[in-house]
């Protein structure tokens, strides 16, 4: 928690104020989100890619392709 505070991170808890409503509708929704900054109305259609700290080369390439496609869209 010390690092969370030091880096200005906010912890959002599923079901509590501030947690993105649309995120709560997905299967296997995370119970916690670690964020910096604030959500705005423009973020309502935001997309996040969640990966692994130790991903394979293949996983990294696929994530890059998905992200590039989302940027173009």
């Amino acid at each position: 928690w010390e690092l969370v505070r030091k880096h200005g991170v906010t912890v959002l808890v599923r079901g509590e104020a501030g947690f993105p409503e649309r995120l709560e509708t997905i299967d296997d929704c995370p119970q916690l989100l670690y964020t910096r900054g604030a959500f705005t109305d423009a973020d309502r259609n935001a997309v996040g890619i969640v990966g692994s700290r130790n991903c394979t080369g293949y996983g990294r390439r696929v994530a890059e392709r998905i992200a590039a496609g989302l940027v173009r869209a």
Side-chain angles (χ1 to χ4, degrees):
W1 290 118
E2 202 173 298
L3 286 174
V4 166
R5 279 189 230 98
K6 177 182 175 184
H7 293 284
V9 172
T10 300
V11 180
L12 302 177
V13 179
R14 183 178 184 185
E16 293 187 3
F19 196 93
E21 293 174 20
R22 292 178 70 185
L23 184 58
E24 290 196 66
T25 66
I26 66 169
D27 292 337
D28 202 22
C29 175
Q31 298 300 308
L32 299 173
L33 287 180
Y34 297 89
T35 66
R36 287 199 321 201
F39 289 110
T40 67
D41 287 340
D43 296 322
R44 290 190 58 77
N45 294 319
V47 175
I49 299 174
V50 179
S52 170
R53 290 187 176 120
N54 298 311
C55 69
T56 63
Y58 171 76
R60 185 180 310 273
R61 288 190 305 275
V62 170
E64 287 172 354
R65 286 186 201 141
I66 292 169
L70 289 168
V71 168
R72 284 190 300 274

